[in-house]
Each structure stands twice: as C-alpha cells, then as structure tokens.
Amino acid sequence: MASTDTATGTLERHGLSDDQLRAIFRNMLLQRQLDNRGFQLNRQGKVPFALGSEGHEALQAGAAMAFNRGSDILAPYYRDLGLCLGIGLTAYEIMLSIFARAPDHNGGRQFPNHYSSKAAGLMSFSSILAAHLPHAVGAAYAIKYRGEKGRAVLATCGDGTTSEGEWHETMNFAAVHKLPFVMLVENNEWAISTPLEKQMAEPQIWKRAAGYGMPGRRFNGFDPIATFAAVKEAMDRAREGGGPTLIEGTCYRYLAHSTDDNDMTYRTREVVMERRKQDPVPAFEALLVEHGVLTAQDVAQMRKDVLRDTNEATDAAEAQPYPTPADLYLHVHEGAWQPWQS
Amino acid sequence: MAVVSANTTVMNNVEAVRATLYDALKSDERVCILGEDVGARGNVFLITKDFVGEFGERRIIDTPIAEASIVGIAVGMAMEGLRPVAEIQFADFIYPSFNQIVGEAAKIRYRSNGEYTCPMVIRTPYGGGVRGALSHSVSIEALFYHVPGLKIVAPSFPADVKGLLNTAIDDPDPVMFLEHKKTYRLIKGEVPNGHYTIPLGKANVLKEGTQLSVVSYGLYVHWALEAARQLEGEGISVEVIDLRSIRPMDKTAILQSVEKTRKLLIIHEDNKFGGIGAEISAMVAEEALFHLDAPIRRLCGPDVPAMGYALPLEEEFMSSPAEMADAMREMVKF
Ligand SMILES: Cc1ncc(C[n+]2csc(CCOP(=O)(O)OP(=O)(O)O)c2C)c(N)n1
Ligand SMILES: [Mg+2]
C-alpha cells in the first residue's frame, strides 16, 4: 500500500490521527456489513432491490474524512454508502431506505442508496446519471454568491457517468466561475456491463481537467489515506477560493451492479477473484495492525460492534411502518395542490 | 385585465417582463438571472438590458451555451436557498434541458419527501407569427403540462405578465413562464405601479358573451378577442376567456362559462393532438356534457412538426382572426 514510506517504514498518515484512522477503518467495515445485509435481505425476499459498494470502501471512507460536516455540501451518487456514512448518516438511516419505511429521508419514495439529507448537507440524488452534477455546481455558485468562506461542494459519480453531457457542462461551468467545487470520479472500470474502454478512448479521466482549465489528479482509491490526501488537497483549495478540481480514484466493483444484475454474463469469476487480492479492507486492516494503530483484538471487537450496529439498525428500521397510501399525494408542491383549480 | 388603479404605466410585454425582473432583483438579494446573452447584450429581446451594469455579473450570469445545465444549475441554486430565474433563449432550445425540468426540478420536493424544495422560474419566449422558421417558433406547453410538480404560466397582457411573474418568482416550487414572442412589442397595456401578484390558476374573462365560450391563451387570446368583437356587429355574443395559467388551470371559470353559453371552442397555436385543448375538452366532457348544445370544437395548429420560414407555410400553420371568426360563427349557428 502506497501509504507506507518505503524508506523509513513509517506510516504516511497525512495528518490523520490514530482515532481518525480507526474511524476510517470502522467505516469500511460498516460499509461492507451493510452491503452484505442489503443483499441478504434481498435474497430472503424482504426487499426488492439492493446495491453494493464493495471495492469502494477505502475511497469513500478516506474521502469522507476530508469533508467538513456542518459546512461542506455533498452531492453523491448511489454507490456512495461509505461517503454518506462518513459524513454522518447512520446505519439506521441506511436501513430505513433499504426497507423503504416512512421515516426514511425520501419517505420510501426512492430506491435505496439514493441518499438525501438536508440536515447533513447531502443533496438529493435521482436515478438519472449526472443530473445531480449541475445541482452541485449550482450549490457551489450559491456559496460563492453569498460570499461564504471556507465552504465547498464535493460531487461524485462513476466512470461511466463521465460520458454524459451534463458531466461536461458541470465541469465547464465550475471552471469558468472558479467555483468551490470538487468532482470526484470513482473509477471502478465498469458501468453495469460496459467496460471502461467502451466508455472512453482515454481511460485516464483526470486528464480531462486540463481541457477545462482546472487541476486534475489521479489517486489509488484502494488506499484510504492517499484518497484522504487527494480529496483534502482539492477541498482545501476549493474552500480557499482556488477553484475546482477533478480527482479520479481508481478502484474496482467487486459485486454485480445490483441485485438485478448477473455480472457473470459479462466478466469471469477469475478476473474478479484476481482483483479481490487488492481488497482494501483486509489490506488496510493489515496496515493499521502493522503500525500499531489497531491490535488484532481491537479489530475483532470492531467487527463485533459493526455487526451489532447493523443488526440493531436492521431490526429498528424493519419495525418502522411503511408510508401510507395517503403519502403518495404529499409534497407534489407546497400545500394541497391539483392541476385543476376550482 | 387586473384591476387598474389611477396609478398605472403603459407598457408592452417586453417592458413588463423587464420591469418585473428589475423590481425582483432590487427587492430580493436571492434573485439572480442566468441564461445565454443575458449580460452585456441584455438578452436577445433586450429584456435584461443594463441589468449587468446595475446588479453585476454575480447576479446576471451569462452562461455557456448549455441548456441542460442552465436549468440544472438553477435547480442547485434553488435547493441552496437562492431564487434563480433561468432563461432559455428560445423555447425551441429547451429540449436539451428536458431532463432537468421534468426529471429533476419537478421532482425535487417530491423525491426528497419535502426536505428539499426547488423555488425557481424558467422563462422562455415561445410561439410563431414572427418569421421565426422551424426552430424559433414552437409552442412547448403541451410537452410540459403533463408533468406533476411543474406549474406553467402563459400570460398575454402586460399587467398579467407583471402579476404572474411576481407570483412565479415568489412561488416555492418551479414555474415555467412562457412569453409569446409576437406579443412582446405588439401588445401594450396599462400596468399598475407597485408590487402586486396574480394567483396562478385563475383565468380571466376578457369579454362576456352568451352564445359561445372561447378559451384560449397567448397571442391567440388577442386575435380571438378581435374576432369576437367583430362578431358583436353581427349580433353574435361570444365570451372570451384568457387562461393565463395552464397548470394549474381554472376549471371553475371554464365550467361557469360553458354552463352559461352551452358551447365551447378552444383555440390554441400549438398543434391539436394531445394539446392543451384535449385536456380541456376531456374535463368539460366529464363535468358538463349535458350542458352542451354542440360538440366541443378545437381550432389549433396542424399536426406537422413546425411552421415553416416561407410566409405561406407560416400563415398556413397559424390561425387568423378571420378563421377564428368563421369558427365562432359556425359554432353559434350549430
Ligand atoms: C441517464 C441514465 N442512463 C442510464 C442509467 C442506467 N444506469 C444506472 S447505473 C449505470 C452505470 C453507471 O456506471 P458508473 O457511472 O461507472 O457508476 P458505477 O455504477 O460503476 O458506480 C447505468 C447505465 C441511468 N440510471 N441514468
Ligand atoms: Mg463504474
């Protein structure tokens, strides 16, 4: 892992404290546990749909550490379980959306993983790829408009989404107006069944930054510390009025796209198993144990805690009521509203 | 027309839009305008002329030529507490932003269960009769009036422009504000001074009559009124209703009129199939069929992709006041 200084053998922690490193690892464990729970519940027939982020844990847990709660804004996409946990969503909130229960932020209207929480500074995401990105620069414009210092917007999307026109429009506008905006691309090499080479001729997405007139950079998204460093550098620049940055984290999608996808129709188990050797969760565990940030005992305890939290969140969310049929009619507009005025 | 006090100013529709935007920018720091050529050029119809000098580039934003993000950025601004007025230079160019209007703006409040709101206005000039050719003449209202979560306004008179634009800017949800290009300088009228609003979903009975109800909006309201006034001389009494607001639409005004005159003619420039007239016809058939003494009739644009640039192609597409008068006579005779 890139985070060990090969000359001295010490951990390159980029200012992260032991507590922060432990929090990153815990987030990674919780992501994986919640992911598994979603898929289990789907196989048990309890929920119609689930979507996992395995392979993105390090990238998201690291990126979340560079987010300032209470001031920054996050415009995530559906793969961002760990980012959303890392900026303050709870396992319970995640399970509410998986079960589509009434207290869910979206009131059970949207698919799971369509994160939204005004309180957490988390902008609403629809299923429409790249459509959230103009919203993110609009929010960044609002920050600049009001002259608010020290705030920035972090937006994310997958590699495939960078083919959309709105992705381009977003980057261009952010650059023209030097907005406090960071575009984080999570490059997992797949867009459902379409591999990167069919998505773009130049696979290094970060290189596009030059064309927009903003800095760009690529980092190893299997390394949470390297991710933190890259995202923090970009967010700090944005917060200080230095304008937007395009950053690309490389990772891999270990699971099928969702519970509705069978990835064995377009890639082999062998290829996935080969990439599993880089799995960031055991790798980061080994790194932290090696450097004495965690003991094997600590790790065992953390795994227990995360399982307990997941179980409790599952039970608590499942016990909540569904939205009622009457809820279908709420929030079309402010107040009661009909297309025919009488 | 809205109540006109002694204290009024005569304006055309361009001036009414401009004056209303100006007042909004003056009185509410959250209001900003974004669109193509709205800055130094002052919009292609000069609606925002000199605004950038007074309010600055921060609030009057010349955007890149990118309609999806003009709307999308306004959505983000609105979610973050601003009150953006996004401009699509011509309604014909709104298609790239369809996704942002229908898939995003209209659904922000709903999909976030009320946590987020999207108070924004999308202004755009539409309509023909100005030699605008295939792609500077279209009507777009029927493409959007199907969409829950959107409100659509299409005023015809300067006083309504002001009252309804004020309402649209104040509205807590997204509003499309459609301005008929041909009425921009053609139509002048008295506009009350000072701030006032007109509620959405309230039609205006422009002329009372007893033998036929004509429902219209936009440029055709003026031509229908002209035709109806001409028929007065022939002893034919036609009631003319200006919808002003397309979604929500004023059911009460339409039904009250139809129940009185027992005949309904709907006139619009947009093509007939699936147009605004289809919904009005269905509503009247559902609610007032037994009040009718004649089949409902729609006088609308033909079902071709658009009006052509050559004058005969434009004229063939548009209905004239004379054609409107003919349709009215036939209906009354029925
Ligand atoms: C506009 C739009 N087109 C297509 C889809 C269907 N779709 C959902 S996810 C996806 C793949 C996206 O891939 P990528 O951006 O790489 O993200 P990843 O899922 O790999 O994290 C597609 C095609 C969609 N949701 N929205
Ligand atoms: Mg991908």
Side-chain angles (χ1 to χ4, degrees), chain B residues 25-326:
Chain B
L25 286 160
K26 266 282 198 215
S27 64
D28 188 345
E29 175 67 22
R30 298 170 306 166
V31 174
C32 61
I33 293 176
L34 66 162
E36 293 157 15
D37 305 301
V38 298
R41 155 87 207 189
N43 145 302
V44 292
F45 298 98
L46 305 183
I47 282 175
T48 57
K49 189 172 171 294
D50 299 332
F51 280 12
V52 74
E54 179 158 358
F55 300 105
E57 291 186 347
R58 182 179 63 104
R59 299 181 68 193
I60 311 297
I61 308 158
D62 264 336
T63 63
I65 306 162
E67 289 76 14
S69 57
I70 290 173
V71 175
I73 288 162
V75 170
M77 290 171 161
M79 290 170 80
E80 256 314 295
L82 300 187
R83 290 279 177 158
V85 180
E87 174 180 304
I88 300 296
Q89 195 163 61
F90 284 82
D92 312 64
F93 315 153
I94 206 165
Y95 308 129
S97 59
F98 196 80
N99 174 38
Q100 282 293 339
I101 299 172
V102 176
E104 302 294 317
K107 294 187 174 71
I108 294 288
R109 180 189 288 275
Y110 193 74
R111 80 178 189 219
S112 67
N113 206 30
E115 271 193 23
Y116 279 101
T117 60
C118 189
M120 61 182 280
V121 178
I122 303 166
R123 285 184 43 248
T124 191
Y126 76 105
V130 295
R131 303 301 302 280
L134 215 74
S135 296
H136 293 74
S137 296
V138 296
S139 297
I140 52 158
E141 57 275 21
L143 295 177
F144 293 98
Y145 92 129
H146 184 63
V147 180
L150 281 184
K151 298 175 184 178
I152 305 176
V153 191
S156 320
F157 292 89
D160 290 341
V161 164
K162 179 171 174 180
L164 287 165
L165 186 52
N166 276 330
T167 306
I169 292 169
D170 288 349
D171 199 279
D173 290 297
V175 181
M176 293 186 75
F177 195 84
L178 306 182
E179 301 162 10
H180 198 291
K181 290 192 286 294
K182 178 127 181 152
T183 72
Y184 262 164
R185 292 181 205 282
L186 188 70
I187 303 301
K188 292 191 178 64
E190 286 191 80
V191 177
N193 299 335
H195 186 83
Y196 65 95
T197 57
I198 295 173
L200 306 188
K202 288 284 167 231
N204 196 10
V205 180
L206 293 175
K207 178 185 172 303
E208 297 207 353
T210 55
Q211 292 172 291
L212 169 67
S213 301
V214 171
V215 174
S216 190
Y217 58 92
L219 171 69
Y220 281 8
V221 158
H222 298 284
W223 290 359
L225 198 58
E226 185 185 324
R229 289 202 175 118
Q230 181 195 329
L231 293 188
E232 291 275 272
E234 301 170 24
I236 295 175
S237 171
V238 177
E239 181 145 306
V240 179
I241 297 176
D242 177 6
L243 283 177
R244 300 196 289 194
S245 168
I246 287 171
R247 186 183 175 98
M249 212 185 296
D250 191 342
K251 187 186 208 165
T252 311
I254 297 169
L255 288 178
Q256 275 176 357
S257 178
V258 166
E259 285 167 17
K260 177 175 72 176
T261 67
R262 310 184 78 86
K263 288 178 182 173
L264 173 63
L265 170 65
I266 303 150
I267 306 182
H268 58 66
E269 184 179 322
D270 203 359
N271 59 308
K272 185 173 180 176
F273 193 95
I276 307 304
E279 189 60 38
I280 299 172
S281 306
M283 184 277 287
V284 171
E286 282 175 341
E287 308 262 342
L289 185 66
F290 300 115
H291 291 275
L292 293 176
D293 283 345
I296 297 168
R297 182 164 167 195
R298 289 175 284 161
L299 179 63
C300 307
D303 279 295
V304 299
M307 64 188 73
Y309 182 46
L311 190 58
L313 300 181
E314 181 175 282
E315 283 178 346
E316 175 60 18
F317 188 101
M318 306 280 291
S319 306
S320 65
E323 284 171 290
M324 293 179 190
D326 285 346

Side-chain angles (χ1 to χ4, degrees), chain A residues 158-160 186-191:
Chain A
D159 44 291
E186 302 182 29
N187 185 349
N188 62 15
E189 300 177 28
W190 289 98

Side-chain angles (χ1 to χ4, degrees), chain A residues 73 102 104-107 109-110 116-119 121-126 128 130-132 134-139 141-146 151 166 169-170 172-173 176-177 327-334 337-342, chain B residues 29-32 57-59 61-64 66-69 72-73 75-77 79-82 99-100 103-104 108-116 148-151 172-173 200-202 247-252 254 279-280 283:
Chain A
I73 292 172
D104 166 39
H105 283 283
N106 298 327
R109 286 167 181 200
Q110 294 226 69
S116 172
S117 165
K118 198 165 185 186
L122 212 165
M123 292 183 91
S124 164
F125 174 77
S126 71
I128 303 166
H132 65 305
H135 308 173
V137 287
Y141 196 95
I143 287 173
K144 192 175 173 189
Y145 187 94
R146 291 187 291 247
R151 296 186 74 194
E166 277 153 296
E169 293 188 21
T170 295
N172 189 44
F173 190 83
V176 167
H177 290 275
D327 290 325
L328 181 74
Y329 304 95
L330 300 179
H331 305 302
V332 180
H333 291 285
E334 187 178 270
W337 200 86
Q338 288 298 321
W340 285 111
Q341 198 92 19
S342 39
Chain B
E29 175 67 22
R30 298 170 306 166
V31 174
C32 61
E57 291 186 347
R58 182 179 63 104
R59 299 181 68 193
I61 308 158
D62 264 336
T63 63
E67 289 76 14
S69 57
I73 288 162
V75 170
M77 290 171 161
M79 290 170 80
E80 256 314 295
L82 300 187
N99 174 38
Q100 282 293 339
E104 302 294 317
I108 294 288
R109 180 189 288 275
Y110 193 74
R111 80 178 189 219
S112 67
N113 206 30
E115 271 193 23
Y116 279 101
L150 281 184
K151 298 175 184 178
D173 290 297
L200 306 188
K202 288 284 167 231
R247 186 183 175 98
M249 212 185 296
D250 191 342
K251 187 186 208 165
T252 311
I254 297 169
E279 189 60 38
I280 299 172
M283 184 277 287

Side-chain angles (χ1 to χ4, degrees), chain A residues 4-331:
Chain A
T4 306
D5 183 322
T6 40
T8 62
T10 55
L11 189 63
E12 267 183 38
R13 43 172 79 223
H14 289 282
L16 289 167
S17 67
D18 280 2
D19 277 347
Q20 286 175 308
L21 291 170
R22 284 191 280 264
I24 287 175
F25 183 61
R26 193 182 197 284
N27 180 339
M28 292 168 67
L29 290 180
L30 183 58
Q31 277 184 69
R32 195 151 283 192
Q33 193 60 253
L34 286 168
D35 262 1
N36 290 340
R37 184 56 51 88
F39 274 67
Q40 282 164 8
L41 290 167
N42 176 259
R43 279 194 291 269
Q44 290 168 5
K46 286 193 168 181
V47 300
F49 180 78
L51 195 147
S53 316
E54 279 196 22
H56 290 245
E57 290 91 345
L59 196 164
Q60 295 181 16
M65 267 296 158
F67 181 91
N68 288 347
R69 292 189 196 187
S71 63
D72 289 339
I73 292 172
L74 177 65
Y77 80 118
Y78 54 79
R79 197 74 71 196
D80 282 327
L81 173 60
L83 243 176
C84 295
L85 289 170
I87 72 150
L89 286 199
T90 62
Y92 174 62
E93 284 170 296
I94 301 301
M95 293 313 301
L96 283 174
S97 80
I98 288 179
F99 282 111
R101 293 306 202 250
D104 166 39
H105 283 283
N106 298 327
R109 286 167 181 200
Q110 294 226 69
F111 266 159
N113 310 84
H114 287 48
Y115 309 103
S116 172
S117 165
K118 198 165 185 186
L122 212 165
M123 292 183 91
S124 164
F125 174 77
S126 71
S127 297
I128 303 166
L129 296 174
H132 65 305
L133 301 176
H135 308 173
V137 287
Y141 196 95
I143 287 173
K144 192 175 173 189
Y145 187 94
R146 291 187 291 247
E148 293 163 354
K149 300 273 178 270
R151 296 186 74 194
V153 179
L154 176 63
T156 66
C157 71
D159 44 291
T161 299
T162 68
S163 302
E164 288 279 4
E166 277 153 296
W167 191 88
H168 158 71
E169 293 188 21
T170 295
M171 297 298 287
N172 189 44
F173 190 83
V176 167
H177 290 275
K178 267 197 142 207
L179 295 179
F181 177 74
V182 175
M183 180 72 248
L184 167 58
V185 178
E186 302 182 29
N187 185 349
N188 62 15
E189 300 177 28
W190 289 98
I192 308 187
S193 67
T194 306
L196 200 63
E197 66 265 24
K198 287 193 178 147
Q199 207 70 243
M200 59 197 78
E202 168 53 73
Q204 304 227 25
I205 295 165
W206 70 277
K207 287 187 177 173
R208 298 182 200 175
Y212 292 108
M214 67 171 78
R217 153 163 196 207
R218 188 179 226 210
F219 60 87
N220 174 12
F222 282 146
D223 179 346
I225 300 176
T227 303
F228 165 77
V231 178
K232 183 166 188 326
E233 182 197 24
M235 288 295 279
D236 280 347
R237 177 162 46 240
R239 291 181 194 117
E240 287 154 15
T245 308
L246 167 61
I247 45 178
E248 173 190 3
T250 53
C251 60
Y252 196 75
R253 198 193 80 210
Y254 290 138
L255 302 176
H257 174 71
S258 72
T259 50
D260 288 346
D261 176 38
N262 174 9
D263 60 330
M264 292 301 112
T265 60
Y266 52 84
R267 62 181 187 182
T268 65
R269 197 172 303 280
E270 289 68 40
V271 167
V272 179
M273 291 318 288
E274 186 56 32
R275 302 299 294 269
R276 278 271 185 197
K277 289 180 185 159
Q278 300 170 285
D279 189 334
V281 180
F284 195 54
E285 174 183 329
L287 186 85
L288 293 185
V289 171
E290 181 195 328
H291 290 282
V293 178
L294 284 173
T295 64
Q297 238 177 337
D298 294 335
V299 174
Q301 184 61 45
M302 223 182 238
R303 285 187 188 279
K304 264 194 221 158
D305 292 348
V306 159
L307 179 61
R308 182 206 55 220
D309 288 356
T310 303
N311 288 340
E312 284 176 9
T314 306
D315 293 344
E318 195 175 8
Q320 290 296 320
Y322 270 124
T324 66
D327 290 325
L328 181 74
Y329 304 95
L330 300 179
H331 305 302

